């Protein structure tokens, strides 16, 4: 009997491989104007996802295209709440106009990281999601503030990263460091399979952490992302696993 593994990918960010990645994944997280994307790219991504039967999610961030949403911004609670709500709503309207369904929300970049460790940021973000009055699943990092606050109210998927190394505090190794990204397809498979099969992850300094994940993210801008995903399909099949689609 085959078991299934859930793989998501951040798309609609101006990358070159969206059309090749979309049929290989379970779910996409579409940039909705904060760090990347506009109405045209959102519509294109939604149509591509619907063509391949891929789950559609919103990928809001700090409103900062200049830094691709990878720097924390100092914003009032009200401004941040309005921005996140507006980003998700813009994608939601497109999805519904196309006859699709928005299944989930995943924060991007610095906002994802800040909501993981800062309870106040997490509370603001969750309040913006409540204003949408829809039953969305949230993709959240393990051992995070947003997970703790959302549990019981929102359906949460704990996310692990297929192509990123971890620090001992469950945070991701900063992209500025040389060992932040796992680009070798064989190492990506080993990394994901360890988390999936054993609920453990080896940190960048060799420490072993408990990590039980519901979904795995592969970044579309990781070198050879298409090749990595095709390899994962092949290796998972050899282990009686299949990427959910």
């Amino acid at each position: 009997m085959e078991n299934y593994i859930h793989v998501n990918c951040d798309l609609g960010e101006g990358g070159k491989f969206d059309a090749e990645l979309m049929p290989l994944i379970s779910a996409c997280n579409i940039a909705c104007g904060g760090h990347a994307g506009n109405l045209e790219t959102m519509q294109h991504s939604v149509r591509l996802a619907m063509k391949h039967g891929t789950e559609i999610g919103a990928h809001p961030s700090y409103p900062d295209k200049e830094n691709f949403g990878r720097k924390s911004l100092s914003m009032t609670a009200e401004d941040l709440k309005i921005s996140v709500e507006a980003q998700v709503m813009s994608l939601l309207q497109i999805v519904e106009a196309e006859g699709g369904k928005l299944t989930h929300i995943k924060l991007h970049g610095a906002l994802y990281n800040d909501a993981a460790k800062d309870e106040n940021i997490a509370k603001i973000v969750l309040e913006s999601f409540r204003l949408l009055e829809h039953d969305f699943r949230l993709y959240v990092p393990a051992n995070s503030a947003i997970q703790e606050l959302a549990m019981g109210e929102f359906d949460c998927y704990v996310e692990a990263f297929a192509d990123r190394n971890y620090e001992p505090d469950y945070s991701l190794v900063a992209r500025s460091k040389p060992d932040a990204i796992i680009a070798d397809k064989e190492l990506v498979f080993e990394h994901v399979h360890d988390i999936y099969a054993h609920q453990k992850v080896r940190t960048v300094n060799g420490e072993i952490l408990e990590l039980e994940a519901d979904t795995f993210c592969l970044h579309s801008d990781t070198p050879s992302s298409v090749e990595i995903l095709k390899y994962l399909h092949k290796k998972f099949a050899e282990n009686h696993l299949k990427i959910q689609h």
Side-chain angles (χ1 to χ4, degrees), residues 4-7 147 156-160 212-216 244:
Y4 289 88
I5 188 165
H6 192 277
V7 176
Q147 179 193 16
C156 293
Y157 261 20
V158 175
E159 180 176 48
E212 191 170 347
D214 301 300
T215 185
F216 292 83
Q244 185 178 324

Side-chain angles (χ1 to χ4, degrees), residues 42-56:
M42 283 188 265
Q43 185 181 57
H44 174 76
S45 298
V46 167
R47 288 177 175 175
L48 189 61
M50 291 178 66
K51 175 183 174 183
H52 293 290
T54 305
E55 294 172 16
I56 301 170

Side-chain angles (χ1 to χ4, degrees), residues 116-128:
K117 62 181 185 284
D118 187 326
E119 196 172 285
N120 289 327
I121 297 291
K123 284 178 179 176
I124 294 165
V125 167
L126 291 174
E127 180 57 33
S128 71

Side-chain angles (χ1 to χ4, degrees), residues 24-49:
L24 299 172
I25 57 178
S26 315
C28 63
N29 319 304
I30 298 174
C32 34
H35 66 289
N38 53 41
L39 295 178
E40 186 179 348
T41 62
M42 283 188 265
Q43 185 181 57
H44 174 76
S45 298
V46 167
R47 288 177 175 175
L48 189 61

Side-chain angles (χ1 to χ4, degrees), residues 10-245:
D10 306 335
L11 299 178
E13 298 178 326
K16 299 176 183 177
F17 306 113
D18 286 19
E20 294 173 75
L21 290 165
M22 194 70 83
L24 299 172
I25 57 178
S26 315
C28 63
N29 319 304
I30 298 174
C32 34
H35 66 289
N38 53 41
L39 295 178
E40 186 179 348
T41 62
M42 283 188 265
Q43 185 181 57
H44 174 76
S45 298
V46 167
R47 288 177 175 175
L48 189 61
M50 291 178 66
K51 175 183 174 183
H52 293 290
T54 305
E55 294 172 16
I56 301 170
H59 198 37
S61 70
Y62 284 117
D64 183 17
K65 289 187 177 181
E66 183 182 349
N67 296 299
F68 200 67
R70 286 182 174 155
K71 289 189 176 181
S72 299
L73 291 189
S74 179
M75 301 177 67
T76 67
E78 190 64 19
D79 284 348
L80 179 57
K81 185 169 67 174
I82 289 169
S83 176
V84 171
E85 183 196 6
Q87 288 176 60
V88 178
M89 184 59 74
S90 65
L91 183 66
L92 175 63
Q93 289 172 342
I94 290 171
V95 173
E96 291 183 340
E98 293 292 329
K101 180 184 179 184
L102 192 68
T103 61
H104 64 278
I105 304 174
K106 173 188 164 181
L107 298 174
H108 167 82
L111 186 55
Y112 183 97
N113 295 332
D114 289 350
K117 62 181 185 284
D118 187 326
E119 196 172 285
N120 289 327
I121 297 291
K123 284 178 179 176
I124 294 165
V125 167
L126 291 174
E127 180 57 33
S128 71
F129 295 161
R130 290 186 192 101
L131 293 172
L132 294 162
E133 297 182 339
H134 274 69
D135 188 21
F136 301 121
R137 175 177 289 144
L138 305 185
Y139 289 5
V140 295
N143 286 38
S144 62
I146 190 168
Q147 179 193 16
E148 190 71 30
L149 291 167
M151 293 289 278
E153 180 182 358
F154 294 90
D155 179 22
C156 293
Y157 261 20
V158 175
E159 180 176 48
F161 287 84
D163 52 3
R164 295 292 301 277
N165 274 313
Y166 280 82
E167 297 281 10
D169 65 353
Y170 286 93
S171 67
L172 299 179
V173 175
R175 283 181 178 267
S176 57
K177 295 182 179 179
D179 48 7
I181 295 168
I182 308 170
D184 181 283
K185 62 187 180 184
E186 295 175 6
L187 293 179
V188 171
F189 169 73
E190 290 173 13
H191 179 74
V192 172
H193 193 262
D194 276 351
I195 299 171
Y196 178 84
H198 307 296
Q199 291 81 52
K200 295 182 188 300
V201 64
R202 183 181 295 275
T203 68
V204 72
N205 65 355
E207 190 176 332
I208 303 296
L209 300 177
E210 301 286 329
L211 178 54
E212 191 170 347
D214 301 300
T215 185
F216 292 83
C217 175
L218 182 78
H219 289 95
S220 59
D221 58 357
T222 292
S224 308
S225 56
V226 176
E227 182 187 349
I228 290 170
L229 262 170
K230 288 179 177 177
Y231 182 77
L232 290 182
H233 274 270
K234 174 177 171 287
K235 293 297 290 184
F236 288 150
E238 292 172 7
N239 289 267
H240 309 290
L241 266 174
K242 190 173 184 179
I243 292 181
Q244 185 178 324
H245 197 73

